[in-house]
Amino acid sequence: MKDQKMAGWLSRHRSILISYGGLIFCIAFFTIVTPIRGESIWSASKVSTLISDMIVTALMSVGAVFIYALGNLDISIGKQIGLYAVIMVVLGNMTGSLIPPVLLCIVLSVLIAVVNGGAGPMFNIIPIIPSVVISQVLSGTITIIFAKMGTRSITLKTIDYRIFKSPVVMVVVLAAEVAIAVLLFNYTKIGKYAKALGQNKTAAVQSGINVIKYRIICYIFAGLCFVVAALFQMGYTGSASDSTGTGFEMNIMIALILGGMPISGGMRSKVSAAVVGALTFSLLDVGLPLIGIATRTTFIVKAIIFLIVVLMTSRKKEGTLPK
């Protein structure tokens, strides 16, 4: 009987055990191995890089939890970050303040959220399709902006952006965002209905949940998180380029899966996956080159780790991956 209870407990908490176990292993492994190879991952310069990388990834991933809980993917996240960063630099230089560009980015994020969240159920199309369209539109917009400026990168010159490099500020902002996300996700209808829609959309609709309303709300919260992430992504370097945000949507997916987030969403979705996964992903991102793995090769290593975690945590009983 005890063995059966233990087996049941392990089965229910398998994804959590794997995600936290992976994080602990990465911390221990890189702590021991990187000094042997020449530079510790906990040196001042690497910790600074690690914190910046982790914070930006976590800020995006916390918002993405609300989208993934629905059982959806958003392909436009990277391009959203890129456009917001460009707007902040361009308007920041023009106005001498980040308030106008941030407000504009918030408005744009809400508009994009309405399209991404509402178009799928409204027009009865696969939810990922609107985000693909949005991604292409934003990509074209970014290309036009830089083509007109005659450059591929721009620098923030009129505003002191050192505050965005402060580890204390980064951690405080992330903690505040996580606290708000946990409150909404665990203690309000927003999170409850998001998980219900991801678990079984048909049952959720039959129980009276307004699909369009709560999908849009989830996408709006995620969009606001993306604006905050773009602010720190731009602020850390004080610049933006036509490649800013490229591949971020895949980084988020990998981070969430490493954190124990099920691809199919539903009741097992949790905000903690964003933080655990972002830290694990950032440790791999910073640590792998320190142990002698070429930068290009690190993508292959992370892909293999990602595949292993998916196979271990996201398989259905019938042996197939969720769609």
Side-chain angles (χ1 to χ4, degrees), residues 109-120:
S109 73
V110 172
L111 294 176
I112 292 171
V114 171
V115 175
N116 277 340

Side-chain angles (χ1 to χ4, degrees), residues 44-235:
S45 61
K46 295 305 177 185
V47 168
S48 176
T49 302
L50 180 64
I51 291 176
S52 173
D53 188 74
M54 182 266 179
I55 294 296
V56 172
T57 303
L59 288 171
M60 293 186 294
S61 299
V62 168
V65 165
F66 286 75
I67 297 174
Y68 275 70
L70 294 165
N72 298 340
L73 300 176
D74 188 347
I75 303 300
S76 68
I77 296 175
K79 295 306 177 183
Q80 287 187 57
I81 299 295
L83 179 61
Y84 300 153
V86 171
I87 291 173
M88 289 173 190
V89 174
V90 172
L91 286 187
N93 284 335
M94 291 174 60
T95 63
S97 170
L98 285 175
I99 294 178
V102 168
L103 291 176
L104 176 58
C105 289
I106 290 174
V107 172
L108 286 175
S109 73
V110 172
L111 294 176
I112 292 171
V114 171
V115 175
N116 277 340
M122 187 176 296
F123 298 107
N124 196 27
I125 57 177
I126 300 173
I128 198 175
I129 298 300
S131 73
V132 173
V133 175
I134 290 293
S135 178
Q136 294 302 309
V137 171
L138 297 183
S139 179
T141 303
I142 293 171
T143 300
I144 291 172
I145 291 174
F146 279 101
K148 288 189 175 182
M149 291 190 297
T151 182
R152 297 190 61 182
S153 64
I154 47 177
T155 303
L156 189 62
K157 298 178 180 179
T158 61
I159 302 172
D160 185 359
Y161 52 86
R162 286 177 296 179
I163 188 173
F164 299 109
K165 296 183 179 183
S166 169
V168 175
V169 172
M170 291 181 184
V171 172
V172 169
V173 171
L174 176 60
E177 183 178 288
V178 170
I180 295 171
V182 169
L183 176 64
L184 293 176
F185 200 68
N186 295 340
Y187 301 102
T188 71
K189 291 181 180 179
I190 298 173
K192 177 183 177 181
Y193 289 172
K195 288 180 281 189
L197 287 167
Q199 187 71 26
N200 190 322
K201 181 181 177 182
T202 302
V205 172
Q206 291 176 347
S207 67
I209 296 176
N210 187 323
V211 177
I212 296 178
K213 174 183 176 180
Y214 284 97
R215 277 175 54 87
I216 290 177
I217 291 174
C218 287
Y219 273 86
I220 287 176
F221 179 76
L224 296 177
C225 292
F226 300 154
V227 172
V228 176
L231 184 60
F232 279 88
Q233 171 66 27
M234 178 280 302

Side-chain angles (χ1 to χ4, degrees), residues 4 18 23 126 137 151 173 180 208 213 236 249 296 307 322:
Q4 291 179 345
I18 291 174
L23 174 59
I126 300 173
V137 171
T151 182
V173 171
I180 295 171
K213 174 183 176 180
Y236 188 75
E249 57 278 349
R296 293 184 178 180
L307 179 60

Side-chain angles (χ1 to χ4, degrees), residues 71 262-265 268 310 313-316 318-323:
I263 296 178
S264 55
R268 291 193 295 125
V310 168
T313 63
S314 300
R315 294 182 70 85
K316 293 182 177 180
E318 59 268 28
T320 59
L321 290 172
K323 297 180 181 179

